[in-house]
Amino acid sequence: MENFTFYNPVRVLFGEATIPQIGRELKNAGIKRVLLLAGGGSIKSNDVYENVVKSLRRAGIEWEELWGVRPNPTLEHARSGIEMCREGNLGAILAVGGGSVIDEAKSIAAGYYLDDLWQAFEGSAKINNALPVYTILTISATCSEMNMFAVLSNEDEKKKWAIRSEHIFPKLSIIDPAVQSSLPWRQTANGGVDAISHTMEYYFLGTNQEISISVGEAVISTIIKAVDRLKADSNDYNARANLAWASTLALNGVAGAAMRGGDWAVHNIEHSISAFFPEVAHAEGLAVVFPAWILYMYDNNKNQFDRFAKNIWGAGSLEDGVSKLKEKYKSWGAPVSLRDLNIARDMIPEIARNSVIRGNFGILKKLGEQDVINILEVAY
Ligand code: NZQ
Ligand code: ZN
C-alpha cells in the first residue's frame, strides 16, 4: 500500500433539524457579519432559507445576500461576491445550497485575498489565505461540503477549472438530509451519479489497497440502493441520509486513501463538455463518459475492472458490468450517450482539444487528444 496524507478538518453536523444551529455556530466562532450565498431560489421553497435567517437573527449575526449562483457557477458571479465581501466588511461566507453554491463560496473566500481570482485557477497565484466558509448543504453530490476543491467556469475562455487548497476546507458543514426531499428526481439521480463517479475515479487505480477498495464498493453499492429507494419514495429519510453520507465519504479523502490522488480523467473530459455546453449538468456528462472510459481502459488494470463487474454488478465480464451500469443510469433517467445530451458528433474533436489544453491527463494511463476522441466516440 502506498504512503498517503490524510487531512480533513471539516466539522460536520449531520441529521434532521440541524440547520437552526448555524447562528450559534457562527457566533461561537466570533463571526459577526456574513455573506449569505445562494442559487436560483430552491431554498425559499423548502423552508431552508427561513430556518437559516431565523437562526442568524436569533444569534445576532448580520448578513448580506447574494443570489443567482448558477449550476456550473461562473467566475463573473464569484467576482461580484468578492466585491460584496470587501465593501460590506463581511468576515465569512455562508453557502446555502449545493456544490455550485459551495464552490463559488470557496472561490470568493480565496479570491478575497487575491488580486485576480482566476490566476489561482490558472496556477499563477497561490492561495495563502481565505475567508472562513460555512455550508448548509441542500443536495448531496459533490462532497464540496467536506473537501478542499472548488470548480468555476470562465465563460469567456470556455474553461471550467478547479482550485485545490487546504485554506478552502469549510469550517463547518450542516447536512440535513430531510431538506433534500424537495429535490426534483433528476437532481437526486444526478447526485448519485456524481458521487459514484468520484468513487470510481479512485477505485480503478486499485491494486493492493483493500480497505480503500472495499470502502469504495460499499459507497457505490449504498448509493445504488439509496437512489433506487428514493425513486420509489422521494421522502424516504433513511435512504436520503444514507445517500447523503455516502456522497460525502466518496470525496472527503476516506475512499481515496492510498489511491494515488485519483485518476480524474473522466472529470477532466466532463469539464470540457460543460465548458462548451453549460446546460449539461456535471453528473449527466459523467454518466455519459464514465462507461466509455471504463471500456477503453480495461487493459490497463484488468483485475480491478473485473472486480468492479463482479462485486458491484454480479457480472461475469466487464462488458456485462458496464451494460448493467448503463441500464441502472437509464432507469434513473440519466443520459448514457452524447446523443442523449444532444451533442453533435462533430463537436468531439473540439471537446477533446479543449480537454488537453493544459497537457495530457489521467493516472492509470496518460490520455492525449486522440485517446479522448476515441473515448468520446465510444460514448457517442
Ligand atoms: O439553484 P437552486 O435554486 O438552489 O437549485 C439547485 C440547482 O438548480 C437545485 N437544488 C439544490 N438543492 C435543492 C435543489 N432543488 C430543490 N431542493 C433542494 N433541496 O439543484 C440544482 C443543482 O445544484 P448544484 O449545486 O449545481 O448541484 P451539485 O451539487 O451537483 O453541484 C455541481 C457543481 O459542482 C462541481 C460541478 O462541476 C458543478 O459545477 N463539482 C464540484 C466538486 C467539488 N467541489 O469537489 C467536485 C465535483 O466533481 C464537481 O466537479
Ligand atoms: Zn463530480
Side-chain angles (χ1 to χ4, degrees):
M1 189 149 128
E2 305 217 350
N3 296 0
F4 64 90
T5 302
F6 180 87
Y7 175 66
N8 195 318
V10 182
R11 206 153 80 84
V12 174
L13 294 184
F14 186 98
E16 229 170 338
T18 42
I19 292 176
Q21 298 183 46
I22 186 61
R24 200 179 54 222
E25 290 286 341
L26 290 166
K27 191 176 174 187
N28 289 347
I31 290 162
K32 296 190 168 60
R33 288 170 57 74
V34 298
L35 176 70
L36 191 166
L37 189 68
S42 70
I43 60 167
K44 281 206 168 154
S45 61
N46 58 7
D47 289 347
V48 170
Y49 173 78
E50 211 182 302
N51 282 326
V52 168
V53 297
K54 257 196 223 157
S55 172
L56 295 181
R57 229 176 259 130
R58 222 177 15 244
I61 307 287
E62 294 174 11
W63 74 93
E64 288 184 27
E65 297 179 8
L66 176 59
W67 291 81
V69 176
R70 235 185 44 189
N72 293 327
T74 64
L75 173 65
E76 201 188 346
H77 200 266
R79 283 187 171 139
S80 63
I82 295 170
E83 279 317 302
M84 277 181 77
C85 287
R86 287 179 183 158
E87 283 166 17
N89 200 16
L90 305 170
I93 305 168
L94 175 58
V96 189
S100 295
V101 174
I102 300 173
D103 281 6
E104 188 171 316
K106 291 168 164 175
S107 306
I108 294 170
Y112 182 86
Y113 291 102
L114 294 169
D115 291 335
D116 176 7
L117 168 61
W118 190 248
Q119 288 180 349
F121 285 80
E122 284 180 327
S124 56
K126 194 166 178 307
I127 298 170
N128 293 315
N129 206 350
L131 290 174
V133 172
Y134 289 74
T135 90
I136 309 279
L137 185 70
T138 64
I139 171 174
S140 285
T142 64
C143 184
S144 189
E145 70 277 11
M146 204 179 173
N147 69 33
M148 56 170 161
F149 312 118
V151 186
L152 271 194
S153 291
N154 179 334
E155 291 190 298
D156 296 340
E157 299 182 20
K158 297 263 177 294
K159 290 170 182 162
K160 184 178 171 185
W161 286 0
I163 46 173
R164 162 203 170 101
S165 162
E166 289 186 359
H167 296 287
I168 60 173
F169 271 119
K171 297 285 176 223
L172 167 82
S173 284
I174 297 187
I175 307 174
D176 177 350
V179 306
Q180 299 191 28
S181 28
S182 59
L183 280 168
W185 168 250
R186 174 178 169 233
Q187 300 296 355
T188 297
N190 281 352
V193 170
D194 191 25
I196 288 173
S197 304
H198 296 154
T199 317
M200 295 198 296
E201 294 280 14
Y202 292 113
Y203 181 89
F204 292 117
L205 296 175
T207 50
N208 55 10
Q209 316 83 337
E210 184 56 38
I211 178 61
S212 298
I213 295 169
S214 296
V215 169
E217 287 170 353
V219 166
I220 295 174
S221 302
T222 300
I223 292 171
I224 292 169
K225 268 189 235 153
V227 175
D228 279 347
R229 274 167 55 192
L230 288 167
K231 193 157 170 261
D233 174 8
S234 72
N235 292 314
D236 182 331
Y237 176 79
N238 277 318
R240 286 271 171 221
N242 277 287
L243 174 59
W245 189 235
S247 305
T248 301
L249 289 181
L251 195 49
N252 72 350
V254 170
M259 299 298 252
R260 299 161 68 192
D263 191 84
W264 301 108
V266 176
H267 268 70
N268 203 42
I269 298 172
E270 190 295 309
H271 287 172
S272 182
I273 293 176
S274 296
F276 284 101
F277 303 96
E279 68 282 6
V280 171
H282 172 62
E284 294 173 344
L286 296 172
V288 168
V289 180
F290 233 122
W293 178 90
I294 290 173
L295 292 172
Y296 190 74
M297 298 297 287
Y298 179 57
D299 287 342
N300 296 284
N301 197 1
K302 281 184 182 162
N303 287 344
Q304 189 66 4
F305 285 105
D306 286 339
R307 177 174 170 156
F308 170 76
K310 179 164 169 276
N311 287 6
I312 305 289
W313 303 105
S317 69
L318 184 69
E319 284 74 19
D320 191 21
V322 169
S323 53
K324 287 189 162 137
L325 169 69
K326 285 169 79 171
E327 281 312 312
K328 183 57 75 185
Y329 282 176
K330 271 197 235 170
S331 77
W332 295 347
V336 291
S337 68
L338 286 177
R339 246 174 298 195
D340 290 346
L341 293 176
N342 291 319
I343 294 178
R345 196 170 199 159
D346 59 13
M347 279 302 293
I348 288 177
E350 216 164 330
I351 294 168
R353 204 171 313 125
N354 186 263
S355 73
V356 293
I357 205 164
R358 292 203 277 189
N360 294 359
F361 57 86
I363 301 293
L364 195 50
K365 173 183 186 231
K366 278 261 170 278
L367 301 180
E369 196 172 327
Q370 189 56 48
D371 292 304
V372 180
I373 290 175
N374 297 345
I375 289 166
L376 291 175
E377 284 292 341
V378 177
Y380 185 74

